[in-house]
Amino acid sequence: MPGFAGKLLFGLALTIAATFVLLIVVGLLAGLLAPFLGSVPISYNFRSIRARWTSTIVAVLGIAGTVGVFVAMLSLANGFKATLVASGSPGNALILRAGSPTEMMGGVTLDSVRVVQDAPGVARDSSGPLVTQEVVGVMPFPLITTGTDANVQVRGVSSNVLRIRTFAKIAEGRMFQPGLSEIVVGRNASRTYSGLTLGNSVQFGGGHWQVVGIFDAGGSAFDSEIWCDAKLLNEILKRPDNIFQSVTVHLASPQTFQQFKDAIVSDPRMNVDVTREIDYYAKQSTTMTRLITVLGGLVAAIMAIGAVFGALNTMYSAIAERGREIATMRALGFSSSNVILSFLFEALSISFVGGILGCLAVLPLNGLETNTMNFQTFANVAFAFKITFDLLLVGIVFALVMGVLGGILPAIRAATRPVAVALREL
Amino acid sequence: MKFSGLIFANLFRKKIRLALTIGSFAVALFLFAFLSVVRDAFNRGADIASADRLFVINRTSIINPIPLSYRDKMLRIPGVRMATHDNWFGGIYQDEKNFFPQFVIDPENQRQVYPELIVSDEEWKQFVNDRQGAIVGVRTAQRFGWKIGDRIPIKTTIWGAGNWEFNIDGFYHGKRPQDDETQFWFQWDYFEEHVPDTLKGQVGWYVVRVDTPDDAVRVAKSIDAEFANSPFETKTETESAFAASWVKQFGNIRFLILSIGTVVFFTLLLVTGNTMAISVRERTSELAVFKAIGFSDRMVLFFVLAESLAIALIGGLAGLLLAFLAIPVLANALNGMLPQLVLAPSMFVVGFATALAVGLASGLLPGLGAMRLQIVNALRRV
């Protein structure tokens, strides 16, 4: 029965994998605690390293390179995800037509918008309910770097949008006036596309628009967008009047989300999905994040194998050269386990230094900006490398694991060669 | 070749070291192959673009439509040989993760405009006669295990709502290995019947075939001039220009991945070079003995280089072989996220040459050191 055999095989693979992981963890702990567990004095290790410093440096560089690449790729994916997640606020809810995976494919009527405005749980201030009904499209603008066109997300918003997206603020100039051919441009968009500077006039959609302000949206995807009046954009995109693509609502408090959602969804006139803004944007990042993580993970995995080979080579050569020293130590009375611990400790020290070096080498990348097209929305998004403390921690652990893999076999070999044979070698 | 015995004997002295060094080389070459393939995948659109095809899209936004009524005017422009129109269906098959491109096509002109995408006449005839018919690229068909006669439901999100169903009438494959074999085509007429009224008569883009490639730019300008100042202004580019600017939107990611990959590659090579240097250093006294019994300095250099080249050769071949076997498997894992990964013969040649070059380089310094050994000094080191 294929089912049973399959399960058996899976169980076997799992057991082997678990054993492997256990061995690595044991090796790691043993190596790190070696000085306390009774190995050869560690001054011996440090002096050996100094005596054979060229090979050690190569091994350190190999590990540093791998860790650096690993952390860099993960921070790239991290940065992309962070930008998109930052776009969502837990205090906002997003309303899309039922079944639409993205804003671009949505359609919410003005009547539905009115129902939303009257729903419970919606924040209100002096200007009325904090609801913005929006239209989105992508339009070509030339990139400063290549001169060729990239698709920029242009969002038609209601004039009270800044009170709903409270993390967005006008950094220079002012907000556009409703009904006029004016636009405000996100900070990143202004830096990525030519012509989007304060006071400049740009042409799109068959008309001229004045850039009256630059806004800062706190490092979210909105920083790569251009905002203008929703009604005007609707006309340019030749969409039917009074149909918007999304409605964003500022909730009275994040806790009122459920109450708001229930009220909307139970209304028979409404054919919409209600999600927390933060959940929607997390979903928008999945494809790109997955692509970068998979590609980066593959490169890092391949590199790790190469680095482990390099470390193994270095360790084996070290043991070959130090054959007589090891035999002498054992003749003096150190046991095999002392020697193994000693070599494990040495391998781990080398890989630890390599890991630190790798992390330090990529730290300058933190905050470095780049941009790419988000597959899911066709729009260009600017984002930055984001290196967090736990990412660095993962990098160091990765380095230590490579150290264990590269050190354990040579260590065992060193400890098990017959003393008399080793002493006899020239 | 009379020294091959000697060289091999030297190589196999320390089997573990040999295996590890060859392994490092193999890993480096595998990485080289993987990165080349990914870079090609990002460049794909520009590579397969045809010189005599033009893409016509709406000038305001790529997602805005162009009226079907523009077709006749376009055909009357001198230099235009034929035109076909398409729409992006963008539906979901079972799950968003199962993404593949779905196009609404104009069956009359599709094959003439895209002659490199080949369908058997029999299957095409069946497709044309079946209103709900579909032609699928072989890669997508393989991915889901579809056969002729299967009924496929696809949910639409852009064009109204609900499930549309199609019958698979045939498959297409590309003439060249880089051609896109993942597309799903179905009939324009069926599409027009079922979209909401407000969305009828709208084309996503036109693909125009010109009489001669030299004329392409002039015809592109004429098309845009024809529809300038109309409610749906057009932007016409050659297919390669369109693909190139599309690729440039990914630009930075590609550069980053490749620069990181290069760092990786050189790090690995540094490691292997060092290993070869160590092995030569260990054998100083033996090399001195060779010189003492009469081998010339140059022969000693030759021995060292031959060894490092042998390692590079075997390691390089192993890595490229691994790439040849493993990359198609990886490609399946990345299905839908990147265009298909294709192993080009040129990559193997370049990779192999690089491996040999590195083998030479890493053996050179130790070899020169060995060459210059003074017998007396070397023998003294015991």
Side-chain angles (χ1 to χ4, degrees), chain B residues 204-224:
Chain B
W205 66 93
Y206 285 94
V207 184
V208 169
R209 235 182 128 177
V210 293
D211 287 324
T212 61
D214 299 328
D215 223 13
V217 177
R218 181 195 66 78
V219 175
K221 291 210 173 89
S222 314
I223 295 180
D224 287 342

PDB file of all heavy atoms in Angstrom, chain B residues 204-224:
ATOM      1  N   GLY B 204      -7.301  44.587 -24.447  1.00  0.00           N
ATOM      2  CA  GLY B 204      -6.220  44.915 -23.525  1.00  0.00           C
ATOM      3  C   GLY B 204      -5.029  45.484 -24.268  1.00  0.00           C
ATOM      4  O   GLY B 204      -4.481  46.513 -23.910  1.00  0.00           O
ATOM      5  N   TRP B 205      -4.634  44.801 -25.327  1.00  0.00           N
ATOM      6  CA  TRP B 205      -3.548  45.300 -26.163  1.00  0.00           C
ATOM      7  C   TRP B 205      -3.619  44.664 -27.535  1.00  0.00           C
ATOM      8  O   TRP B 205      -4.211  43.612 -27.715  1.00  0.00           O
ATOM      9  CB  TRP B 205      -2.176  45.028 -25.521  1.00  0.00           C
ATOM     10  CG  TRP B 205      -1.821  43.582 -25.422  1.00  0.00           C
ATOM     11  CD1 TRP B 205      -1.106  42.855 -26.331  1.00  0.00           C
ATOM     12  CD2 TRP B 205      -2.167  42.664 -24.381  1.00  0.00           C
ATOM     13  NE1 TRP B 205      -0.973  41.552 -25.908  1.00  0.00           N
ATOM     14  CE2 TRP B 205      -1.613  41.409 -24.712  1.00  0.00           C
ATOM     15  CE3 TRP B 205      -2.883  42.780 -23.186  1.00  0.00           C
ATOM     16  CZ2 TRP B 205      -1.767  40.283 -23.905  1.00  0.00           C
ATOM     17  CZ3 TRP B 205      -3.033  41.671 -22.373  1.00  0.00           C
ATOM     18  CH2 TRP B 205      -2.478  40.434 -22.734  1.00  0.00           C
ATOM     19  N   TYR B 206      -3.022  45.348 -28.509  1.00  0.00           N
ATOM     20  CA  TYR B 206      -2.909  44.792 -29.847  1.00  0.00           C
ATOM     21  C   TYR B 206      -1.472  44.348 -30.081  1.00  0.00           C
ATOM     22  O   TYR B 206      -0.534  44.961 -29.563  1.00  0.00           O
ATOM     23  CB  TYR B 206      -3.248  45.860 -30.906  1.00  0.00           C
ATOM     24  CG  TYR B 206      -4.719  46.168 -31.039  1.00  0.00           C
ATOM     25  CD1 TYR B 206      -5.294  47.217 -30.337  1.00  0.00           C
ATOM     26  CD2 TYR B 206      -5.536  45.432 -31.893  1.00  0.00           C
ATOM     27  CE1 TYR B 206      -6.634  47.519 -30.471  1.00  0.00           C
ATOM     28  CE2 TYR B 206      -6.881  45.726 -32.034  1.00  0.00           C
ATOM     29  CZ  TYR B 206      -7.431  46.768 -31.312  1.00  0.00           C
ATOM     30  OH  TYR B 206      -8.753  47.063 -31.449  1.00  0.00           O
ATOM     31  N   VAL B 207      -1.312  43.299 -30.870  1.00  0.00           N
ATOM     32  CA  VAL B 207       0.028  42.941 -31.320  1.00  0.00           C
ATOM     33  C   VAL B 207       0.021  43.050 -32.830  1.00  0.00           C
ATOM     34  O   VAL B 207      -0.792  42.420 -33.509  1.00  0.00           O
ATOM     35  CB  VAL B 207       0.409  41.507 -30.909  1.00  0.00           C
ATOM     36  CG1 VAL B 207       1.839  41.204 -31.320  1.00  0.00           C
ATOM     37  CG2 VAL B 207       0.237  41.330 -29.419  1.00  0.00           C
ATOM     38  N   VAL B 208       0.903  43.878 -33.343  1.00  0.00           N
ATOM     39  CA  VAL B 208       0.911  44.176 -34.765  1.00  0.00           C
ATOM     40  C   VAL B 208       2.157  43.593 -35.398  1.00  0.00           C
ATOM     41  O   VAL B 208       3.262  43.735 -34.868  1.00  0.00           O
ATOM     42  CB  VAL B 208       0.901  45.713 -34.964  1.00  0.00           C
ATOM     43  CG1 VAL B 208       1.179  46.066 -36.410  1.00  0.00           C
ATOM     44  CG2 VAL B 208      -0.430  46.284 -34.514  1.00  0.00           C
ATOM     45  N   ARG B 209       1.970  42.926 -36.536  1.00  0.00           N
ATOM     46  CA  ARG B 209       3.135  42.441 -37.275  1.00  0.00           C
ATOM     47  C   ARG B 209       3.382  43.357 -38.451  1.00  0.00           C
ATOM     48  O   ARG B 209       2.470  43.631 -39.238  1.00  0.00           O
ATOM     49  CB  ARG B 209       2.879  41.021 -37.749  1.00  0.00           C
ATOM     50  CG  ARG B 209       3.998  40.123 -37.258  1.00  0.00           C
ATOM     51  CD  ARG B 209       3.856  38.754 -37.705  1.00  0.00           C
ATOM     52  NE  ARG B 209       5.102  38.349 -38.331  1.00  0.00           N
ATOM     53  CZ  ARG B 209       5.337  37.160 -38.783  1.00  0.00           C
ATOM     54  NH1 ARG B 209       4.403  36.255 -38.720  1.00  0.00           N
ATOM     55  NH2 ARG B 209       6.477  36.868 -39.331  1.00  0.00           N
ATOM     56  N   VAL B 210       4.620  43.840 -38.575  1.00  0.00           N
ATOM     57  CA  VAL B 210       4.922  44.784 -39.656  1.00  0.00           C
ATOM     58  C   VAL B 210       5.535  44.036 -40.837  1.00  0.00           C
ATOM     59  O   VAL B 210       6.030  42.929 -40.701  1.00  0.00           O
ATOM     60  CB  VAL B 210       5.889  45.890 -39.192  1.00  0.00           C
ATOM     61  CG1 VAL B 210       5.207  46.774 -38.156  1.00  0.00           C
ATOM     62  CG2 VAL B 210       7.152  45.302 -38.611  1.00  0.00           C
ATOM     63  N   ASP B 211       5.490  44.697 -41.991  1.00  0.00           N
ATOM     64  CA  ASP B 211       6.033  44.071 -43.199  1.00  0.00           C
ATOM     65  C   ASP B 211       7.513  43.788 -43.073  1.00  0.00           C
ATOM     66  O   ASP B 211       7.985  42.700 -43.375  1.00  0.00           O
ATOM     67  CB  ASP B 211       5.782  44.975 -44.422  1.00  0.00           C
ATOM     68  CG  ASP B 211       4.323  44.956 -44.826  1.00  0.00           C
ATOM     69  OD1 ASP B 211       3.709  43.873 -44.698  1.00  0.00           O
ATOM     70  OD2 ASP B 211       3.794  45.995 -45.248  1.00  0.00           O
ATOM     71  N   THR B 212       8.291  44.804 -42.666  1.00  0.00           N
ATOM     72  CA  THR B 212       9.728  44.578 -42.478  1.00  0.00           C
ATOM     73  C   THR B 212      10.159  45.180 -41.140  1.00  0.00           C
ATOM     74  O   THR B 212       9.665  46.230 -40.744  1.00  0.00           O
ATOM     75  CB  THR B 212      10.574  45.249 -43.579  1.00  0.00           C
ATOM     76  OG1 THR B 212      10.340  46.656 -43.520  1.00  0.00           O
ATOM     77  CG2 THR B 212      10.230  44.714 -44.951  1.00  0.00           C
ATOM     78  N   PRO B 213      11.110  44.529 -40.458  1.00  0.00           N
ATOM     79  CA  PRO B 213      11.555  45.049 -39.153  1.00  0.00           C
ATOM     80  C   PRO B 213      12.114  46.465 -39.234  1.00  0.00           C
ATOM     81  O   PRO B 213      12.004  47.230 -38.283  1.00  0.00           O
ATOM     82  CB  PRO B 213      12.642  44.061 -38.728  1.00  0.00           C
ATOM     83  CG  PRO B 213      12.360  42.820 -39.492  1.00  0.00           C
ATOM     84  CD  PRO B 213      11.742  43.245 -40.778  1.00  0.00           C
ATOM     85  N   ASP B 214      12.718  46.826 -40.352  1.00  0.00           N
ATOM     86  CA  ASP B 214      13.290  48.172 -40.462  1.00  0.00           C
ATOM     87  C   ASP B 214      12.219  49.233 -40.332  1.00  0.00           C
ATOM     88  O   ASP B 214      12.490  50.356 -39.935  1.00  0.00           O
ATOM     89  CB  ASP B 214      13.986  48.351 -41.819  1.00  0.00           C
ATOM     90  CG  ASP B 214      15.123  47.368 -41.992  1.00  0.00           C
ATOM     91  OD1 ASP B 214      15.744  47.032 -40.975  1.00  0.00           O
ATOM     92  OD2 ASP B 214      15.367  46.939 -43.130  1.00  0.00           O
ATOM     93  N   ASP B 215      11.014  48.872 -40.730  1.00  0.00           N
ATOM     94  CA  ASP B 215       9.914  49.818 -40.745  1.00  0.00           C
ATOM     95  C   ASP B 215       9.275  49.986 -39.371  1.00  0.00           C
ATOM     96  O   ASP B 215       8.416  50.834 -39.173  1.00  0.00           O
ATOM     97  CB  ASP B 215       8.866  49.287 -41.725  1.00  0.00           C
ATOM     98  CG  ASP B 215       8.319  50.386 -42.594  1.00  0.00           C
ATOM     99  OD1 ASP B 215       8.912  51.474 -42.605  1.00  0.00           O
ATOM    100  OD2 ASP B 215       7.278  50.148 -43.227  1.00  0.00           O
ATOM    101  N   ALA B 216       9.673  49.126 -38.425  1.00  0.00           N
ATOM    102  CA  ALA B 216       8.938  49.023 -37.154  1.00  0.00           C
ATOM    103  C   ALA B 216       8.747  50.373 -36.469  1.00  0.00           C
ATOM    104  O   ALA B 216       7.645  50.708 -36.049  1.00  0.00           O
ATOM    105  CB  ALA B 216       9.643  48.043 -36.223  1.00  0.00           C
ATOM    106  N   VAL B 217       9.819  51.133 -36.356  1.00  0.00           N
ATOM    107  CA  VAL B 217       9.727  52.395 -35.613  1.00  0.00           C
ATOM    108  C   VAL B 217       8.777  53.372 -36.304  1.00  0.00           C
ATOM    109  O   VAL B 217       7.963  54.054 -35.675  1.00  0.00           O
ATOM    110  CB  VAL B 217      11.125  53.025 -35.444  1.00  0.00           C
ATOM    111  CG1 VAL B 217      11.033  54.361 -34.752  1.00  0.00           C
ATOM    112  CG2 VAL B 217      12.019  52.089 -34.638  1.00  0.00           C
ATOM    113  N   ARG B 218       8.870  53.455 -37.639  1.00  0.00           N
ATOM    114  CA  ARG B 218       7.984  54.381 -38.363  1.00  0.00           C
ATOM    115  C   ARG B 218       6.526  53.980 -38.167  1.00  0.00           C
ATOM    116  O   ARG B 218       5.647  54.811 -37.924  1.00  0.00           O
ATOM    117  CB  ARG B 218       8.355  54.383 -39.846  1.00  0.00           C
ATOM    118  CG  ARG B 218       7.499  55.345 -40.664  1.00  0.00           C
ATOM    119  CD  ARG B 218       7.596  55.089 -42.154  1.00  0.00           C
ATOM    120  NE  ARG B 218       7.035  53.819 -42.575  1.00  0.00           N
ATOM    121  CZ  ARG B 218       5.740  53.565 -42.730  1.00  0.00           C
ATOM    122  NH1 ARG B 218       4.850  54.520 -42.489  1.00  0.00           N
ATOM    123  NH2 ARG B 218       5.322  52.373 -43.098  1.00  0.00           N
ATOM    124  N   VAL B 219       6.241  52.675 -38.298  1.00  0.00           N
ATOM    125  CA  VAL B 219       4.854  52.219 -38.152  1.00  0.00           C
ATOM    126  C   VAL B 219       4.354  52.508 -36.739  1.00  0.00           C
ATOM    127  O   VAL B 219       3.218  52.935 -36.547  1.00  0.00           O
ATOM    128  CB  VAL B 219       4.743  50.710 -38.453  1.00  0.00           C
ATOM    129  CG1 VAL B 219       3.339  50.228 -38.192  1.00  0.00           C
ATOM    130  CG2 VAL B 219       5.159  50.426 -39.888  1.00  0.00           C
ATOM    131  N   ALA B 220       5.228  52.286 -35.744  1.00  0.00           N
ATOM    132  CA  ALA B 220       4.823  52.557 -34.357  1.00  0.00           C
ATOM    133  C   ALA B 220       4.393  54.006 -34.209  1.00  0.00           C
ATOM    134  O   ALA B 220       3.358  54.308 -33.612  1.00  0.00           O
ATOM    135  CB  ALA B 220       5.971  52.235 -33.410  1.00  0.00           C
ATOM    136  N   LYS B 221       5.179  54.902 -34.786  1.00  0.00           N
ATOM    137  CA  LYS B 221       4.840  56.323 -34.667  1.00  0.00           C
ATOM    138  C   LYS B 221       3.539  56.621 -35.403  1.00  0.00           C
ATOM    139  O   LYS B 221       2.710  57.409 -34.935  1.00  0.00           O
ATOM    140  CB  LYS B 221       5.956  57.193 -35.245  1.00  0.00           C
ATOM    141  CG  LYS B 221       7.240  57.185 -34.425  1.00  0.00           C
ATOM    142  CD  LYS B 221       7.988  58.518 -34.558  1.00  0.00           C
ATOM    143  CE  LYS B 221       9.160  58.586 -33.630  1.00  0.00           C
ATOM    144  NZ  LYS B 221      10.411  58.070 -34.170  1.00  0.00           N
ATOM    145  N   SER B 222       3.342  55.981 -36.555  1.00  0.00           N
ATOM    146  CA  SER B 222       2.109  56.245 -37.313  1.00  0.00           C
ATOM    147  C   SER B 222       0.888  55.794 -36.539  1.00  0.00           C
ATOM    148  O   SER B 222      -0.145  56.471 -36.542  1.00  0.00           O
ATOM    149  CB  SER B 222       2.114  55.510 -38.655  1.00  0.00           C
ATOM    150  OG  SER B 222       3.325  55.654 -39.303  1.00  0.00           O
ATOM    151  N   ILE B 223       0.994  54.664 -35.890  1.00  0.00           N
ATOM    152  CA  ILE B 223      -0.149  54.166 -35.124  1.00  0.00           C
ATOM    153  C   ILE B 223      -0.504  55.161 -34.025  1.00  0.00           C
ATOM    154  O   ILE B 223      -1.657  55.534 -33.826  1.00  0.00           O
ATOM    155  CB  ILE B 223       0.141  52.776 -34.514  1.00  0.00           C
ATOM    156  CG1 ILE B 223       0.325  51.744 -35.619  1.00  0.00           C
ATOM    157  CG2 ILE B 223      -0.984  52.360 -33.587  1.00  0.00           C
ATOM    158  CD1 ILE B 223       0.620  50.356 -35.127  1.00  0.00           C
ATOM    159  N   ASP B 224       0.524  55.607 -33.283  1.00  0.00           N
ATOM    160  CA  ASP B 224       0.247  56.549 -32.194  1.00  0.00           C
ATOM    161  C   ASP B 224      -0.311  57.863 -32.730  1.00  0.00           C
ATOM    162  O   ASP B 224      -1.182  58.480 -32.110  1.00  0.00           O
ATOM    163  CB  ASP B 224       1.518  56.801 -31.384  1.00  0.00           C
ATOM    164  CG  ASP B 224       1.896  55.607 -30.523  1.00  0.00           C
ATOM    165  OD1 ASP B 224       1.004  54.751 -30.306  1.00  0.00           O
ATOM    166  OD2 ASP B 224       3.051  55.522 -30.082  1.00  0.00           O
TER     167      ASP B 224
END
